[in-house]
Amino acid sequence: LSTTTDLRTTDYPYYSDYASLITSPCSKLEVRNFTKAFLPIAYSLICIIGLFGNIFVVMTFAFYERAKSMTDVYLFNMAIADILFVLTLPLWAVNYAADEWLFGNFICKMTRGIYAINFSCGMLLLAFISMDRYIAIVQATKSFKLRARTLAHSKLICLAVWISSILISSPSFLYNESYSFSMNETKEICDHRSARMYESTMLKSLLLWLQVAFGFFIPFIFMLFCYTFIVKSLQQAQNSKRNKAIRVIVLIVTVFLACQVPYNIVLLITAVNMGKIDKSCDNDKIMAYAKYTTEAIAFLHCCVNPVLYAFIGVKFRSYFVKLMKDIWCKRHKKDNKRSSRTNSDTYHSRQTSEILTDNGSSFTI
Amino acid sequence: MSGCSSKSMVLVSLLGLLALLLCGTSEAQSNQDCCLSYTKVRLPKWALKGYTEQLPSEVCDIPAIIFHTLNGLNACVNPEEGWVKKHLLFLSHRLRRMSA
């Protein structure tokens, strides 16, 4: 008995100091307040803008009968992937507003999975688009046969892109779950959860590394390679529209970098620090703020894609305007159709400036 | 040229395959409260009310035990340390006794 009282008396003086000696869980209440206010608004805006832009792209490509270039096919698929993704954003907006996952395990897996599918699919398609343009412009003399051949297999290529994106995203279906998380309060969250306990830190950081590699570096290397050669060969060509083409390319690459680089830097820093002990709470909070902000910017990319790739194109824009006219005044539909045929005829005739006109509707120039 | 493009196709599909084996998108950071480091001092048994486990296979990074003290503090401790294991045993015994 005396020993226990001893313990108490020896411990007690320290006990009042325990509050300062104890390491408490890092409270991210202020981050949650931020995500509660900022993300529902940001996600709703991205959802609305992205939905409109991409639906217009899909409509224009679906309703307009004309020779489609491979880039058009890729853009069509990218718009569909973007629509799918943007449709999951309201669920996330509600999740952050309520600070709880309310939709159950199946929808949790689906939304995480669709996000991953859109991500890999979009990035693959951006890489393919830059490759298609590279073939069209730099390899213009040999490109006709090759492009005709790839166009013939366009459905197969797109199917391959979708299947590989679904397969790549399968860990997202596997490793995300809706489960109750208790720290200061118990609530349902939709997040990473794997069965093997001790490899999980490594698994999580590996997933992050691969996300950065696959979602950023690979498409970036493709774009860098292809667009560098495109700009080089455009500089050699004497064409009045050349400068505009170069400007469009610079714009595409700049927007890609502006949207993706900040988020991927945050992901990289997180991957490097994953599993380290004695991280400071302040730094962790800053990283959380940075993650949510840069992620929203990265999501913005799928609203900008239709503008960048489709609406900047003169031909696409004119087709779009025609489509709108078709919808508004159905009486003149026949006239418009006739004019569209003559359009696609001139489109097929390859002239001296073939490198620029051949490249299809989507690529301005 | 067709050689080059098929080469890049092969490259893309290979990278896709590599990623397929391991990849996926995961949460980098979250807005949940997590233990980031461990308490350096030992806590007395009698000051403890209960505990929660933090698993690295879930949203937080590192494995930890969170001891809830009687005066409402939460202490992150290292589950690998001997005294933590003993305290956990003590707490689970007490919980069993209470439920019995």
Side-chain angles (χ1 to χ4, degrees):
Chain A
L1 247 170
S2 65
T3 47
T4 50
T5 44
D6 248 335
L7 252 176
R8 282 192 179 220
T9 45
T10 49
D11 272 334
Y12 199 75
Y14 298 104
Y15 188 70
S16 55
D17 288 338
Y18 268 151
S20 60
L21 293 171
I22 278 175
T23 316
S24 298
C26 176
S27 170
K28 295 218 184 106
L29 186 68
E30 42 176 309
V31 180
R32 282 199 291 277
N33 287 336
F34 168 74
T35 54
K36 211 176 223 174
F38 169 67
L39 291 183
I41 296 168
Y43 285 4
S44 312
L45 282 178
I46 294 171
C47 178
I48 292 163
I49 298 168
L51 211 56
F52 267 101
N54 286 297
I55 282 175
F56 282 143
V57 171
V58 168
M59 263 166 51
T60 311
F61 284 129
F63 289 126
Y64 230 87
E65 324 147 18
R66 61 185 181 85
K68 290 184 176 82
S69 76
M70 205 56 211
T71 297
D72 294 339
V73 178
Y74 292 143
L75 282 174
F76 176 73
N77 280 276
M78 194 153 75
I80 288 176
D82 282 345
I83 288 172
L84 263 179
F85 166 67
V86 146
L87 285 177
T88 67
L89 284 179
L91 296 176
W92 290 112
V94 171
N95 173 61
Y96 288 114
D99 193 22
E100 192 166 17
W101 183 255
L102 305 165
F103 307 103
N105 195 28
F106 177 72
I107 293 182
C108 167
K109 280 182 184 294
M110 284 307 285
T111 48
R112 290 271 186 210
I114 287 171
Y115 167 64
I117 288 172
N118 164 277
F119 205 80
S120 44
C121 195
M123 292 304 162
L124 267 178
L125 289 171
L126 285 182
F128 275 124
I129 287 171
S130 65
M131 218 162 72
D132 185 56
R133 289 171 168 182
Y134 168 79
I135 295 168
I137 292 179
V138 179
Q139 309 285 334
T141 44
K142 306 165 197 164
S143 73
F144 191 66
K145 259 189 197 166
L146 180 70
R147 294 187 88 211
R149 207 167 47 205
T150 47
L151 201 54
H153 297 298
S154 63
K155 274 182 189 148
L156 211 69
I157 292 172
C158 287
L159 194 71
V161 167
W162 278 100
I163 288 175
S164 58
S165 321
I166 289 170
L167 289 177
I168 290 160
S169 315
S170 56
S172 284
F173 288 100
L174 287 177
Y175 294 132
N176 280 298
E177 228 173 86
S178 166
Y179 57 93
S180 75
F181 175 80
S182 53
M183 193 55 83
N184 296 323
E185 44 173 348
T186 303
K187 60 186 171 190
E188 206 62 20
I189 61 169
C190 169
D191 214 297
H192 178 98
R193 186 188 224 181
S194 52
R196 287 161 300 170
M197 200 179 143
Y198 289 101
E199 298 155 44
S200 43
T201 318
M202 230 185 65
L203 176 75
K204 274 197 276 187
S205 71
L206 194 69
L207 292 180
L208 281 175
W209 279 106
L210 284 161
Q211 183 182 348
V212 173
F214 201 74
F216 177 71
F217 277 110
I218 292 166
F220 178 62
I221 286 167
F222 265 85
M223 287 172 82
L224 202 69
F225 170 81
C226 294
Y227 289 135
T228 309
F229 281 98
I230 289 171
V231 168
K232 261 189 190 168
S233 64
L234 281 178
Q235 275 172 339
Q236 284 161 7
Q238 288 303 314
N239 191 298
S240 55
K241 290 171 180 174
R242 171 193 92 174
N243 285 332
K244 198 194 171 192
I246 293 173
R247 272 208 305 275
V248 170
I249 290 166
V250 169
L251 190 70
I252 285 169
V253 175
T254 313
V255 168
F256 174 81
L257 290 178
C259 289
Q260 298 295 337
V261 165
Y263 181 50
N264 281 280
I265 287 175
V266 172
L267 289 186
L268 273 180
I269 295 173
T270 315
V272 167
N273 290 328
M274 180 71 74
K276 275 188 187 160
I277 292 164
D278 288 339
K279 279 188 280 190
S280 96
C281 185
D282 286 334
N283 281 347
D284 211 54
K285 271 190 259 180
I286 290 168
M287 285 302 288
Y289 280 121
K291 183 227 163 184
Y292 288 112
T293 324
T294 54
E295 195 178 48
I297 295 169
F299 288 176
L300 207 63
H301 201 207
C302 66
C303 305
V304 190
N305 275 336
V307 178
L308 265 189
Y309 285 86
F311 290 109
I312 272 187
V314 173
K315 278 185 181 157
F316 180 90
R317 218 163 44 208
S318 68
Y319 287 138
F320 176 71
V321 169
K322 265 183 201 157
L323 177 73
M324 288 294 110
K325 275 183 191 162
D326 281 0
I327 289 169
W328 289 121
C329 35
K330 281 176 183 168
R331 271 181 239 163
H332 304 292
K333 204 176 179 183
K334 279 180 186 171
D335 297 343
N336 279 336
K337 261 191 182 169
R338 210 171 295 144
S339 71
S340 88
R341 287 226 177 83
T342 42
N343 250 0
S344 61
D345 285 343
T346 51
Y347 170 79
H348 275 304
S349 70
R350 297 164 64 80
Q351 289 165 353
T352 40
S353 59
E354 63 170 43
I355 26 170
L356 303 172
T357 49
D358 165 67
N359 198 25
S361 61
S362 43
F363 202 44
T364 340
I365 323 192
Chain B
M1 182 50 224
S2 77
C4 174
S5 91
S6 64
K7 239 185 247 170
S8 23
M9 290 283 265
V10 167
L11 183 75
V12 168
S13 40
L14 271 180
L15 289 167
L17 253 166
L18 171 83
L20 160 93
L21 294 170
L22 309 147
C23 177
T25 48
S26 68
E27 271 287 82
Q29 272 284 333
S30 77
N31 54 7
Q32 309 301 340
D33 298 346
C34 289
C35 288
L36 303 177
S37 53
Y38 303 127
T39 302
K40 303 288 186 298
V41 294
R42 288 183 176 201
L43 295 152
K45 250 181 222 173
W46 55 264
L48 304 181
K49 196 169 59 178
Y51 72 95
T52 314
E53 241 182 313
Q54 173 174 304
L55 301 168
S57 57
E58 293 185 357
V59 63
C60 300
D61 270 14
I62 60 169
I65 299 291
I66 300 116
F67 279 143
H68 309 299
T69 69
L70 288 172
N71 55 347
L73 291 173
N74 293 319
C76 296
V77 293
N78 187 349
E80 295 299 311
E81 278 185 63
W83 71 270
V84 174
K85 284 179 181 164
K86 274 180 200 160
H87 280 35
L88 280 177
L89 222 67
F90 167 79
L91 280 174
S92 52
H93 274 306
R94 197 169 68 185
L95 275 173
R96 216 174 299 155
R97 247 183 300 144
M98 277 161 75
S99 60

